[in-house]
Amino acid sequence: MNIVLIGTIGAGKTTVGKAISEISEFKFVDTDDVASELTMIELKEAQLNYFLYSRIFCRIEPEVLEEMAGKDGLVIATGALSVSHKHSVARLRENGVIIRLQSDVETVIARAKRENRSFLVAEGESYEEAIARDYRTYLGQYSDYDYSFNVSDEESPEECAHRILECVRNGFAR
């Protein structure tokens, strides 16, 4: 079985996924890192160049998701837009549980600033407005999941990891 983490950019998928891996038997994999290795394009670079991101980086994502779906014992931090690949999400569910991580837009903006994340900023738009735009644009795509967790900065990643593992092991209802 795998644990598959979905959510917006800045929701905490990588941070919480690593925490789950550290306290369990699950091995951590970030699909953005795998795609970066396969394309030899850094995610940060791809996110600043629409052509690289949409035409190259995102096109390899279904292959990466398909590969992860065939494995076992992973905690998988997916790319923020991976949920748009409905067939891949269905395949991941065959051997995994889909966990949606959710944070409010203010938390996502604070994390993006803290981590110096790259965003395409339109002319006349602030960095914060660009993040909020992307957040609102893609938020509705995260509707196909087994469990949802609010991930705030008030709770440590380890505490959230424990909550997720308890839920997965005990099969709490959505």
Side-chain angles (χ1 to χ4, degrees):
M1 180 186 76
N2 296 318
I3 297 174
V4 182
L5 304 176
I6 65 169
T8 64
I9 290 173
K13 300 177 300 289
T14 298
T15 303
V16 171
K18 287 178 180 177
I20 292 170
S21 179
E22 289 173 7
I23 63 169
S24 72
E25 68 282 359
F26 291 93
K27 179 184 175 204
F28 177 74
V29 177
D30 188 319
T31 60
D32 284 339
D33 291 344
V34 175
S36 287
E37 289 174 21
L38 292 173
T39 61
M40 294 185 284
I41 300 171
E42 291 293 322
L43 177 62
K44 193 171 193 173
E45 176 187 354
Q47 287 174 330
L48 289 175
N49 183 314
Y50 180 78
F51 177 80
L52 283 178
Y53 193 70
S54 64
R55 303 281 185 206
I56 299 171
F57 200 84
C58 287
R59 292 214 176 182
I60 199 164
E61 195 166 42
E63 293 174 36
V64 172
L65 295 170
E66 185 72 26
E67 179 186 339
M68 297 302 113
K71 297 186 177 190
D72 192 44
L74 301 177
V75 57
I76 304 166
T78 63
L81 299 180
S82 64
V83 293
S84 64
H85 307 291
K86 299 299 183 196
H87 174 76
S88 299
V89 173
R91 281 277 295 126
L92 286 165
R93 179 172 271 121
E94 289 173 9
N95 187 38
V97 59
I98 309 293
I99 305 288
R100 176 187 184 204
L101 300 184
Q102 184 174 341
S103 297
D104 59 48
V105 70
E106 293 81 13
T107 300
V108 170
I109 290 170
R111 289 176 184 162
K113 285 180 170 181
R114 202 169 45 239
E115 298 167 9
N116 197 27
R117 289 191 172 227
S118 302
F119 280 87
L120 284 173
V121 178
E123 190 173 328
E125 183 180 53
S126 72
Y127 179 76
E128 293 83 0
E129 290 168 334
I131 296 167
R133 172 187 32 84
D134 281 358
Y135 177 88
R136 285 188 304 274
T137 299
Y138 301 112
L139 188 61
Q141 293 189 32
Y142 306 102
S143 59
D144 185 15
Y145 55 85
D146 299 308
Y147 306 102
S148 181
F149 288 86
N150 186 28
V151 182
S152 71
D153 284 345
E154 295 170 9
E155 177 183 47
S156 74
E158 294 75 20
E159 290 169 322
C160 185
H162 281 290
R163 281 194 305 134
I164 290 171
L165 285 170
E166 180 182 358
C167 176
V168 168
R169 289 179 177 144
N170 295 322
F172 294 148
R174 185 176 178 194

